[in-house]
Amino acid sequence: MNNELISKLCDLHDLSDEELGCLINERTPEDAKRLAAEASELRDRVYGKKVFMRGLIEFTSYCRNDCLYCGLRRSNHNAQRYRLTKEEILSCAENGYMLGFRTFVLQGGEDPYFTDDVLCDIVSSLKEIYPDCAVTLSVGERSLGSYKQLYYAGADRYLLRHETADADHYGILHPKELKLSHRMECLSDLKSIGYQTGCGFMVGSPYQSTESIVKDLRFIKSFSPEMVGIGPFIPHCDTPYRNQKAGTLEFTLFLLSIVRLMLPDVLLPATTALGTIAENGRELGIMAGANVVMPNLSPNDVRKKYSLYDNKLCSGDEAAENVNELRRRIESTGYKLVTDRGDHIRFSK
Ligand code: 5AD
């Protein structure tokens, strides 16, 4: 057991690359248990026993990119494409507001239909109707000017997973026109504009090594984002990675705890992918240090079409309309699902 390294991580909120590699490669179930307990305690100190909820609106399944792992990749001709109208998006938000959501996450593929003008109009309408709500965007790589316009239209937060901080690994997972350096530029633009910014990566993505995960953790620590999205890779049958193995529950939970201990005040979701690989994945995520859930607010008839990976959950507790069931499950872990904007808090010792 790596008790000494874990104590050091708890005290310093950091470890050297070599120590992180060792903690990962030599991990035991006892290590995972202690890390989860320490991560939970730290999260409780910063945020209390609160779990924040975000309403996810998956508003377009069109994407100009061809990422090898993703079911929405442009060369997947089996993908069912859809795009919500502004009215449909506003009606998702109306429904979400009634259910208690105070953050709306607009997520979509990189769809050229949503120009700055089109997207700014949607963001500013949302903010006008719901001034007490936060709007989070998750629409991929755009220019600095575009990020600025969207910010001035009222967007508060932006999620852009870095996917992997290892340039060679990035090159394997993506077509050659996509570059890690550009991704990083986008992330630093977002942060400099003033967005609460989120990065993140998949656990167990094809050809991922311990070294690449250490690079992810190093990048996350130095970038110090307000949010980090981590979920297991899950293969999609219509992608080149259809036969690759999925990431595991165990390793995802382990890394969630490490990220919490490295960034005590991070907003850390128990993701849909985590809920997809295990029935109680989300609760386990909370118990490992996560403090955000993001149920689906998209209209029922499009949910199945936003198919990033096989068997992606979109009903049951994943559906915003079943928020009371989700609340019950979260309360069973000793936490409270709250109706707050759930902004980031700066942690000081
Ligand atoms: N498995 C798990 N997560 C995936 N994503 C895309 N494809 C997959 C997959 N096959 C994640 C990416 C992306 C986010 C929207 O979904 O990390 O940033």
Side-chain angles (χ1 to χ4, degrees):
M1 192 174 171
N2 261 318
N3 252 326
E4 242 170 72
L5 280 184
I6 297 176
S7 299
K8 190 170 172 188
L9 175 60
C10 294
D11 286 341
L12 303 181
H13 304 300
D14 204 359
L15 288 175
S16 71
D17 287 3
E18 202 188 334
E19 289 167 331
L20 283 171
C22 174
L23 188 59
I24 289 170
N25 285 337
E26 293 168 21
R27 68 188 188 277
T28 64
E30 290 72 42
D31 291 341
K33 208 165 152 192
R34 175 158 175 224
L35 278 173
E38 300 278 7
S40 276
E41 194 201 298
L42 180 57
R43 181 256 337 265
D44 294 357
R45 257 197 284 151
V46 181
Y47 285 100
K49 293 267 180 193
K50 288 181 177 178
V51 172
F52 303 105
M53 55 181 197
R54 322 293 194 201
L56 186 61
I57 305 176
E58 296 164 333
F59 69 98
T60 173
S61 69
Y62 286 88
C63 190
R64 63 175 172 174
N65 290 330
D66 216 19
C67 308
L68 278 83
Y69 47 84
C70 183
L72 300 185
R73 65 199 306 265
R74 67 162 182 266
S75 51
N76 177 12
H77 299 292
N78 292 329
Q80 298 185 55
R81 309 291 175 175
Y82 70 90
R83 190 176 274 144
L84 300 185
T85 62
K86 177 182 173 186
E87 289 65 39
E88 286 170 322
I89 293 172
L90 293 178
S91 116
C92 291
E94 186 183 356
N95 182 30
Y97 194 90
M98 286 189 311
L99 292 167
F101 290 88
R102 295 297 178 266
T103 292
F104 302 117
V105 182
L106 296 183
Q107 184 169 91
E110 290 190 17
D111 178 354
Y113 171 85
F114 289 96
T115 57
D116 295 343
D117 284 351
V118 173
L119 212 46
C120 282
D121 175 49
I122 294 169
V123 170
S124 57
S125 299
L126 272 171
K127 292 294 287 194
E128 209 174 291
I129 306 171
Y130 306 105
D132 54 333
C133 293
V135 171
T136 305
L137 293 176
S138 178
V139 288
E141 297 184 7
R142 300 173 80 98
S143 67
L144 174 66
S146 169
Y147 288 149
K148 279 188 180 165
Q149 284 195 50
L150 292 163
Y151 187 75
Y152 296 131
D156 304 275
R157 310 183 186 138
Y158 204 104
L159 303 174
L160 181 68
R161 289 191 178 176
H162 65 282
E163 311 296 358
T164 169
D166 178 322
D168 293 334
H169 188 218
Y170 198 92
I172 296 174
L173 299 180
H174 298 97
K176 63 176 183 321
E177 62 274 15
L178 293 179
K179 293 273 180 284
L180 179 61
S181 54
H182 189 250
R183 196 76 165 182
M184 295 299 188
E185 215 175 281
C186 289
L187 281 166
S188 77
D189 286 349
L190 290 163
K191 200 163 194 220
S192 71
I193 293 167
Y195 284 99
Q196 295 178 40
T197 305
C199 62
F201 63 96
M202 293 178 286
V203 177
S205 60
Y207 312 103
Q208 185 179 53
S209 61
T210 301
E211 290 68 43
S212 69
I213 293 173
V214 169
K215 286 184 183 166
D216 289 321
L217 296 173
R218 181 61 47 221
F219 166 67
I220 287 172
K221 181 70 187 176
S222 67
F223 185 62
S224 191
E226 283 77 17
M227 307 167 282
V228 172
I230 297 180
F233 162 75
I234 302 172
H236 186 290
C237 60
D238 295 314
T239 65
Y241 289 159
R242 62 182 65 83
N243 294 322
Q244 296 280 347
K245 280 207 299 279
T248 65
L249 174 70
E250 171 273 319
F251 198 17
T252 307
L253 296 173
F254 193 83
L255 290 169
L256 283 172
S257 299
I258 292 182
V259 169
R260 166 64 61 201
L261 290 167
M262 290 180 83
L263 293 183
D265 53 21
V266 75
L267 289 159
L268 191 63
T271 56
T272 306
L274 190 58
T276 299
I277 56 164
E279 202 273 325
N280 57 346
R282 258 181 324 239
E283 289 101 302
L284 294 172
I286 303 294
M287 292 192 292
N291 63 342
V292 173
V293 287
M294 300 171 69
N296 198 318
L297 271 180
S298 312
N300 255 303
D301 58 314
V302 304
R303 283 186 193 171
K304 283 219 154 30
K305 300 182 189 166
Y306 199 83
S307 172
L308 301 169
Y309 44 81
D310 290 340
N311 307 314
K312 180 168 159 279
L313 286 189
C314 60
S315 57
D317 298 356
E318 208 51 41
E321 60 272 22
N322 297 337
V323 68
N324 286 328
E325 177 58 17
L326 182 62
R327 177 168 289 119
R328 194 190 60 70
R329 284 172 73 138
I330 292 194
E331 286 177 1
S332 78
T333 66
Y335 287 81
K336 205 169 161 47
L337 189 63
V338 296
T339 299
D340 284 17
R341 266 178 55 126
D343 284 298
H344 179 255
I345 296 175
R346 271 281 159 230
F347 167 74
S348 55
K349 271 196 194 173

